[in-house]
Amino acid sequence: MSERDILPPGSSVPRTPLDSPAPASPPPEKLLSKPVALIQLIVFSAIGLVMFFVPFTIGEKSTILFDHGATYLVTQQHTLAVFLLFLLMIYGVGKPIYDGSWRKNITNMILTAFKIIGLVLAIMYITDMAPAIIMEKDMLPFLFEKLALPVGMIVPIGALILAFLLGFGLLEMFGVLMQPIMKPIWKTPGSSAIDAVASFVGSYSIGLLITNRVFLQNQYSVREAIIIATGFSTVSAAFMVIVAKTLGLMEFWNLFFWSTLIITFIVTAISARIPPIRGFDDSVERPNLDHQQGNRLAAAYHLGLATSRRATDLKQIMWSNFRDGVTMAAAIVPSIIAVGLTGLLLAKYTPVFDALGLLLYPFTWVTGMPEPLVAAKGMSAGLAEMFLPALLLTEAEILTRYVAGVVSISSVLFFSAMIPCVLATEIPLSVPKMVIIWFERVVLSILIAAPFGHLAIYLGWIS
């Protein structure tokens, strides 16, 4: 008689360990050999560094390579660039409606509405059907041609190149090497140094793209991501040249550039320690990067090599970065047009920024700036568009022009582009808190830049 014969009806024979199939073990992770991984780390990281950080002069314009590519599209292939931009905007408008994310919260609803308005405004601009009041050269044409179109081309191209910086171990190596500097001063991990350099040499949109991607990989806490997004993701060095030219500061370019860089990072170090940034969550699980000084270089090498060994699918890495860039650009571009136009109209035709200037007046007055109320009102317009202080204060005295130039860069946040860029990321930062951070940064920038400007004028560095 078998075991099955003595069991109650409907029962089954218990399976012994020998009868049971062995639990499926996960397939071993595919890794590159160390020599191949090392070559990949060196070659691909070098490509990324050259593409992002080494300026090349082409056609009398000196900038980084992928910016040359974006500029070529915008200037030499303008029709194609406009066509691609409209594809991005249609995708940016359609995505939240298709996936239902527009109804997720009130912020998403407002942003989706602005995206739709931005697409409509772009169509009105291209078809020359927009009202004359918004077709003035510093309104819709400025937003479309000088902001939306370049950003729409730069972000996807930059995201594609970004794969070489983020995918093969360089970020992890920087994280170990820069930790002793970044963490004590700016309360951010060492890898955020890449964000800072990418923003100044390339574009704030690229800096934000890096920040968002690293944040989604759980390598930044919420507070760290906010510090980086609002403190390092400022306009590029190329745009700083435009600000300096407008304000008549090119004669003192080196002083302006380096002092602005230093003041921006000092302001970031201070703002990271005060509300509202101080109150954000700073918890995150990531590898401990605190190493003994003698072992830090070796630790950086091993961590970078380990990352490179896992990077076995170049096409997937490139596609993932490009897809993220397209998604971000699609969300940014229509918002730039709609939100930016709103800010520019408020600055030009309402007393909103005059009232905001009254809040800055005590600081321009106490630092001894000529015509402090005029200076305060001009700098307050930077909340709408970072270039407005330079436009409004071109005839001011040299100290005011210098401080306005610094504030334009170091304030970081503005409605025409930067704030919509932050809102397009996964970083949980609301508009009211961004406005507060903007105000703090402007005040701190005035309090630091004005005394330095007085000293520079006294020593004859600025005349």
Side-chain angles (χ1 to χ4, degrees):
M1 181 180 290
S2 69
E3 184 180 1
R4 184 178 299 277
D5 293 331
I6 62 175
L7 289 173
S11 299
S12 59
V13 180
R15 300 184 71 135
T16 66
L18 292 176
D19 298 321
S20 304
S25 57
E29 183 180 11
K30 184 180 178 181
L31 297 175
L32 297 175
S33 67
K34 288 185 178 181
V36 172
L38 179 59
I39 294 172
Q40 179 173 264
L41 170 62
I42 294 171
V43 173
F44 287 161
S45 296
I47 291 172
L49 290 170
V50 169
M51 295 290 284
F52 263 91
F53 301 131
V54 179
F56 291 85
T57 301
I58 300 176
E60 298 183 356
K61 179 184 177 181
S62 178
T63 186
I64 51 182
L65 280 175
F66 79 87
D67 186 38
H68 279 298
T71 300
Y72 173 78
L73 276 175
V74 171
T75 57
Q76 304 301 316
Q77 301 293 330
H78 189 266
T79 302
L80 174 61
V82 170
F83 174 73
L84 294 174
L85 186 72
F86 270 94
L87 289 181
L88 282 174
M89 287 192 286
I90 292 169
Y91 174 59
V93 170
K95 185 175 182 293
I97 297 173
Y98 176 77
D99 63 21
S101 61
W102 70 272
R103 61 169 73 97
K104 183 178 179 181
N105 51 48
I106 189 65
T107 301
N108 281 28
M109 292 179 185
I110 294 171
L111 278 177
T112 302
F114 270 117
K115 288 174 185 176
I116 295 171
I117 294 169
L119 177 58
V120 172
L121 287 169
I123 293 171
M124 293 172 68
Y125 170 73
I126 287 297
T127 57
D128 201 22
M129 295 175 61
I133 192 174
I134 62 173
M135 284 298 284
E136 297 177 19
K137 64 178 183 179
D138 60 344
M139 290 288 176
L140 196 51
F142 168 76
L143 291 168
F144 188 91
E145 301 289 351
K146 302 299 183 184
L147 288 178
L149 200 55
V151 168
M153 299 301 104
I154 285 174
V155 173
I157 296 173
L160 192 62
I161 308 302
L162 192 62
F164 295 106
L165 283 182
L166 300 186
F168 303 99
L170 184 65
L171 183 75
E172 289 74 13
M173 292 178 67
F174 259 82
V176 176
L177 295 174
M178 296 299 294
Q179 190 74 4
I181 300 172
M182 302 300 293
K183 196 67 176 178
I185 299 176
W186 291 290
K187 304 291 185 181
T188 62
S191 54
S192 61
I194 288 183
D195 294 53
V197 177
S199 297
F200 263 90
V201 179
S203 164
Y204 60 83
S205 52
I206 294 301
L208 275 176
L209 192 67
I210 296 174
T211 305
N212 188 54
R213 188 159 185 81
V214 178
F215 174 65
L216 292 176
Q217 293 170 349
N218 294 318
Q219 294 188 48
Y220 291 157
S221 69
V222 171
R223 187 196 300 175
E224 289 168 347
I226 290 171
I227 292 170
I228 296 161
T230 62
F232 295 147
S233 299
T234 186
V235 297
S236 67
F239 208 85
M240 288 177 69
V241 173
I242 299 173
V243 172
K245 282 183 178 179
T246 304
L247 291 168
L249 300 174
M250 282 305 294
E251 185 180 350
F252 323 107
W253 165 247
N254 280 320
L255 176 73
F256 173 69
F257 176 84
W258 291 109
S259 63
T260 300
L261 181 73
I262 293 168
I263 290 169
T264 298
F265 288 168
I266 291 174
V267 169
T268 299
I270 297 171
S271 63
R273 291 166 166 80
I274 60 178
I277 292 179
R278 188 179 65 184
F280 284 96
D281 181 28
D282 197 34
S283 59
V284 63
E285 293 184 9
R286 61 171 171 246
N288 181 18
L289 300 181
D290 292 326
H291 303 281
Q292 297 297 321
Q293 187 64 34
N295 298 329
R296 187 170 296 278
L297 189 60
Y301 167 76
H302 288 301
L303 186 57
L305 187 64
T307 303
S308 183
R309 291 191 70 190
R310 293 193 295 270
T312 57
D313 192 340
L314 175 61
K315 288 188 292 185
Q316 176 58 33
I317 293 171
M318 300 285 285
W319 167 245
S320 177
N321 277 271
F322 181 69
R323 182 188 59 211
D324 288 352
V326 168
T327 302
M328 175 174 274
I332 292 169
V333 170
S335 300
I336 285 177
I337 295 173
V339 178
L341 183 63
T342 302
L344 292 174
L345 289 171
L346 288 173
K348 192 167 186 176
Y349 296 109
T350 75
V352 169
F353 292 106
D354 287 346
L356 193 55
L358 292 176
L359 297 177
L360 295 177
Y361 171 69
F363 305 101
T364 55
W365 175 79
V366 77
T367 52
M369 294 178 62
E371 299 185 271
L373 184 57
V374 173
K377 289 180 178 180
M379 292 177 200
S380 70
L383 181 58
E385 157 58 40
M386 59 78 55
F387 197 55
L388 283 180
L391 291 174
L392 296 175
L393 296 171
T394 53
E395 303 300 324
E397 295 191 28
I398 185 65
L399 177 64
T400 301
R401 285 184 279 134
Y402 168 75
V403 176
V406 173
V407 168
S408 293
I409 310 304
S410 63
S411 58
V412 175
L413 296 163
F414 52 96
F415 272 108
S416 69
M418 183 62 189
I419 289 175
C421 285
V422 176
L423 293 174
T425 70
E426 298 298 319
I427 301 169
L429 186 58
S430 66
V431 171
K433 288 187 177 178
M434 279 192 271
V435 172
I436 294 171
I437 294 168
W438 170 85
F439 183 77
E440 291 174 348
R441 293 189 66 88
V442 172
V443 168
L444 290 168
S445 299
I446 293 171
L447 293 177
I448 298 171
F452 178 78
H454 281 293
L455 177 64
I457 291 171
Y458 175 77
L459 295 176
W461 298 343
I462 297 177
S463 59

